């Protein structure tokens, strides 16, 4: 990796436009904070609408540049694969960067950095497999076929939780298709996107194919989502911001792909191995300090095992180690932002006010070593009801609400009793019941006897307020390409110019 990002600590870094770092026009830089101490650790550029316009112009120029436009799909695939190789070569540095920037566990970031190259490899292989088709029309001596083409410049708005993994899920297919990209990472975790931009150039992509504009959502994000030069937007984040972006994009008739988080249910039937189900619930809601879009934050347990399940869940929760994200035995690091910590505290307080009971956690850790960071104990709230605010809204923190159910019908009403529809999990040994759940649940992903078992080979996405559009698998290649219909008449016949040719 180039030195710019490796030596980031204590320095400042510009916007990445047209293959190099440039100063923002305003000359303004903003500190990024280390979640373990709350102290600033580097400064990034605050991009404004002129900077965004320059980045979009660079991406549009790259789209027209024969170095990119006339590249064969096979050669594009090779570049995407090379980018994945470079991520692997720099995996440790990238994992440390991500960990420092958003407080995610180093061991989790290392695992992600080993998986991300496979994702590039997967989409690299698709670069020359995006085929059109030939249509057997009702006309003689006519060839009617569909071409698949790149969409154009894709605008990507990336959140602060697992930014590189989120970015890869759409960047890899977009590049494999031949699009160009302007990325707006979160102001809270921009370092890894900037590091990746350097690797893009090192891999051999022409300048301008990938640009990164840093800055806050209200300024830089707004400018990007109002720019008329963007063909499609990718957004991951809150429903409220998603709505705003979709409204901005509609002004230019630009479509969006929206991944807007959730309030996902985990359902436990009484025929399960309780310890295994507890392990699944813990992984589903407490991993990454609960800052995952698929967090299984509402847990419904069949009444015969409810008390035993809660007891086991609480015991397991007490064994979770909250600590510095770089330490190997840490299970939960800090939340990524001070605002996120305040939000979690507020939701737990509202839950107890509405009648939920804190069975574990419910406070910041008492360890004085962690006092300066944005840490929160993993929290189990029992006697939870769907009407409570903390059960309705996405918390994005280590908090699970638990409630019993008696019948399958009641369980379906509880599980689907949410405005969201991103993910879901069911734990049972009864395959018929599991399949009934899969069919009735309103969620884009159903996990049976597992949770957070993510795969970039299958299409994922939301229903209801969790958004629309799909990522992963071949589906994403269709989402970021467009169809063009081509008709060739090789009959040499003269047609009546005033009658449409239907046969
Ligand atoms: P937002 O949805 O506001 O932010 C997500 C991304 O959108 C960030 O890159 C942000 O930039 C950008 N953004 C914000 N406003 C605009 C705008 N007007 N135009 C364009 N881009 C914009 O989430 P927050 O970071 O404020 O977190 C709030 C809550 O959102 C969390 O508590 C969580 O519930 C949810 N969330 C869900 C995520 C998921 O994976 N489902 C991911 C992140 C958040 P910037 O950060 O620079 O402002």
């Amino acid at each position: 990796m180039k030195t710019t990002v490796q030596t980031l600590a204590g320095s400042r870094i510009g916007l990445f436009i047209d293959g190099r770092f440039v100063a923002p026009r305003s000359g303004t830089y903003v500190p990024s904070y280390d979640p373990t101490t709350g102290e600033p650790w580097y400064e990034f550029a605050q991009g404004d609408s002129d900077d965004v316009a320059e980045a979009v112009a660079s991406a549009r120029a790259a789209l027209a540049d024969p170095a990119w436009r006339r590249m064969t799909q096979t050669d594009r695939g090779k570049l995407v694969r090379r980018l994945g190789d470079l991520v692997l070569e720099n995996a440790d540095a990238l994992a440390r960067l991500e960990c420092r920037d958003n407080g995610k566990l180093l061991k989790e970031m290392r695992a992600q950095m080993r998986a991300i190259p496979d994702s590039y490899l997967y989409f690299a292989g698709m670069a020359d497999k995006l085929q059109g088709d030939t249509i057997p029309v009702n006309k003689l001596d006519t060839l009617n076929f569909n071409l698949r083409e790149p969409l154009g410049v894709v605008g990507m708005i990336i959140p602060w939780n697992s930014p590189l993994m989120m970015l890869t899920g759409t960047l890899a297919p977009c590049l494999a298709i031949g699009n160009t990209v302007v990325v707006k990472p979160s102001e809270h975790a921009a370092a890894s996107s900037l590091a990746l931009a350097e690797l893009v150039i090192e891999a051999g992509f022409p300048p301008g194919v990938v640009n990164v504009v840093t800055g806050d959502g209200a300024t830089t994000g707004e400018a990007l989502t109002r720019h008329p030069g963007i063909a499609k937007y990718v957004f991951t984040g809150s429903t409220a911001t998603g709505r705003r972006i979709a409204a901005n994009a509609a002004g230019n008739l630009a479509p969006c792909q929206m991944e807007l988080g959730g309030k996902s249910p985990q359902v436990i039937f009484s025929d399960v191995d309780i310890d295994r189900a507890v392990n699944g619930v813990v992984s589903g809601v407490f991993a990454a300090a609960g800052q995952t879009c698929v967090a299984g934050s509402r847990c419904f347990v069949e009444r015969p095992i409810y008390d035993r399940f809660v007891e086991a869940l609480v015991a397991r929760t007490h064994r979770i180690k909250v600590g510095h994200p770089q330490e190997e035995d840490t299970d939960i690091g800090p939340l990524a932002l001070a605002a996120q910590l305040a939000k979690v505290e507020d939701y737990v307080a509202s839950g107890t006010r509405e009648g939920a009971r804190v069975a574990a956690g419910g406070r910041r850790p008492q360890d004085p070593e962690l006092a300066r960071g944005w840490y929160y104990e993993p929290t189990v709230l029992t006697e939870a009801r769907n009407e409570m605010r903390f059960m309705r809204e996405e918390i994005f923190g280590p908090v699970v609400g638990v409630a019993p159910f008696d019948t399958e019908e009641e369980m379906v009403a509880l599980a689907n009793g949410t405005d969201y529809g991103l993910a879901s999990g069911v734990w049972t040994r009864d395959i018929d019941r599991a399949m009934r759940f899969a069919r009735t649940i309103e969620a884009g992903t159903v996990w049976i006897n597992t949770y957070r078992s993510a795969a970039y080979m299958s299409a994922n996405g939301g229903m209801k307020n969790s958004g629309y559009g799909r990522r992963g698998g071949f589906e994403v290649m269709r989402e970021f390409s467009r169809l063009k219909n081509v008709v060739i008449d090789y009959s040499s016949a003269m047609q009546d110019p005033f009658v449409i040719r239907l046969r």
Side-chain angles (χ1 to χ4, degrees):
M1 198 192 299
K2 295 254 170 40
T3 48
T4 326
V5 169
Q6 260 183 340
T7 55
L8 200 55
S11 69
R12 55 172 44 171
I13 189 161
L15 310 153
F16 195 87
I17 299 177
D18 213 28
R20 63 203 173 88
F21 286 107
V22 296
R25 291 188 188 209
S26 68
T28 310
Y29 290 84
V30 183
S32 186
Y33 294 91
D34 180 335
T36 62
T37 59
E39 302 289 333
W41 75 283
Y42 84 99
E43 288 182 343
F44 60 85
Q46 172 63 46
D48 62 16
S49 55
D50 288 338
D51 297 310
V52 167
E54 195 182 328
V56 177
S58 163
R60 289 183 76 84
L63 210 54
D65 182 355
W68 183 241
R69 191 170 57 86
R70 305 264 307 145
M71 188 179 281
T72 67
Q73 284 302 102
T74 306
D75 286 342
R76 278 203 186 105
K78 285 180 188 164
L79 286 187
V80 174
R81 189 183 63 196
R82 173 84 186 117
L83 180 55
D85 290 346
L86 286 173
V87 171
L88 192 60
E89 279 170 32
N90 294 283
D92 193 59
L94 288 168
R96 287 181 184 283
L97 204 62
E98 203 87 297
C99 176
R100 180 89 193 261
D101 216 14
N102 70 2
K104 296 288 273 290
L105 296 189
L106 186 57
K107 63 184 176 188
E108 161 95 345
M109 289 303 102
R110 283 198 174 121
Q112 284 191 11
M113 294 313 142
R114 283 194 301 273
I116 286 172
D118 289 349
S119 181
Y120 279 104
L121 183 66
Y122 176 76
F123 288 109
M126 286 188 183
D128 53 9
K129 291 165 194 69
L130 188 62
Q131 300 170 352
D133 38 19
T134 313
I135 295 125
V137 289
N138 190 18
K139 292 180 179 67
L140 291 174
D141 302 327
T142 300
L143 183 61
N144 183 318
F145 59 97
N146 285 332
L147 285 177
R148 278 261 165 206
E149 298 182 333
L151 279 176
V153 181
V154 178
M156 298 185 174
I157 295 149
I158 309 295
W160 36 265
N161 58 324
S162 303
L164 217 47
M165 201 172 77
M166 298 277 185
L167 181 57
T168 299
T170 42
L171 182 67
C174 275
L175 295 179
I177 292 163
N179 295 296
T180 62
V181 170
V182 177
V183 181
K184 206 297 279 178
S186 166
E187 62 189 299
H188 307 294
S192 59
S193 300
L194 293 164
L196 189 81
E198 284 193 301
L199 296 182
V200 165
I201 295 300
E202 199 178 329
F205 286 86
V209 170
V210 175
N211 305 274
V212 181
V213 283
T214 50
D216 64 343
T219 316
T220 324
E222 280 285 312
L224 184 59
T225 58
R226 289 176 184 277
H227 198 290
I230 302 291
K232 184 164 185 167
Y233 291 97
V234 176
F235 173 70
T236 308
S238 63
T239 304
T241 302
R243 281 206 174 96
R244 185 169 175 88
I245 289 173
N248 287 350
N252 292 309
L253 290 181
C256 301
Q257 194 195 62
M258 293 275 164
E259 210 269 55
L260 306 178
K263 201 68 207 172
S264 300
Q266 291 227 57
V267 171
I268 324 292
F269 281 97
S270 48
D271 61 350
V272 294
D273 171 339
I274 290 186
D275 288 340
R276 197 162 160 249
V278 162
N279 200 57
V281 169
V282 164
S283 137
V285 70
F286 293 148
Q291 298 167 118
T292 63
C293 45
V294 294
S297 51
R298 294 181 307 133
C299 181
F300 302 111
V301 186
E302 205 174 13
R303 190 155 329 253
I305 60 159
Y306 181 76
D307 290 339
R308 275 188 295 142
F309 184 89
V310 169
E311 195 183 318
L313 177 62
V314 168
R316 180 68 187 86
T317 303
H318 283 145
R319 292 202 305 278
I320 292 172
K321 168 135 193 278
V322 181
H324 196 285
Q326 301 225 12
E327 285 168 13
E328 282 300 320
D329 62 344
T330 294
D331 298 314
I332 295 188
L335 293 151
L337 339 173
Q340 206 54 35
L341 173 62
K343 189 174 162 188
V344 171
E345 289 183 314
D346 181 53
Y347 274 114
V348 172
S350 83
T352 52
R353 271 198 310 276
E354 288 183 89
R357 192 177 66 81
V358 177
R363 56 181 192 175
R364 296 187 195 191
Q366 306 301 295
D367 182 351
E369 295 266 310
L370 306 179
R372 284 194 309 147
W374 303 321
Y375 295 91
Y376 198 78
E377 285 189 358
T379 297
V380 177
L381 295 178
T382 56
E383 288 154 57
R385 292 192 317 278
N386 264 357
E387 313 79 76
M388 295 175 174
R389 188 165 74 88
F390 88 95
M391 290 286 278
R392 283 186 283 116
E393 298 174 9
E394 185 178 44
I395 301 178
F396 230 56
V399 181
V400 64
V402 192
F405 69 88
D406 290 298
T407 65
E408 225 174 285
E409 205 181 6
E410 183 193 1
M411 176 279 293
V412 169
L414 288 169
N416 282 340
T418 168
D419 294 336
Y420 289 102
L422 188 59
S424 60
V426 62
W427 296 81
T428 177
R429 290 188 174 127
D430 182 338
I431 187 66
D432 296 357
R433 184 153 62 187
M435 278 311 298
R436 278 197 298 278
F437 178 87
R439 287 291 190 181
T440 47
I441 196 75
E442 294 161 350
T445 297
V446 180
W447 283 304
I448 299 173
N449 295 331
T450 184
Y451 204 86
R452 265 180 102 229
S453 178
Y456 48 82
M457 293 90 170
S458 52
N460 301 298
M463 298 177 181
K464 296 155 77 176
N465 280 359
S466 292
Y468 50 84
R470 291 293 178 267
R471 296 179 193 178
F474 204 76
E475 198 56 38
V476 73
M477 298 292 281
R478 285 188 269 271
E479 292 241 357
F480 289 98
S481 59
R482 66 182 177 201
L483 270 187
K484 185 180 278 175
N485 185 239
V486 182
V487 182
I488 304 173
D489 181 335
Y490 56 93
S491 68
S492 307
M494 190 71 80
Q495 300 293 328
D496 181 339
F498 302 105
V499 179
I500 187 170
R501 194 182 163 207
L502 293 172
R503 290 180 64 89

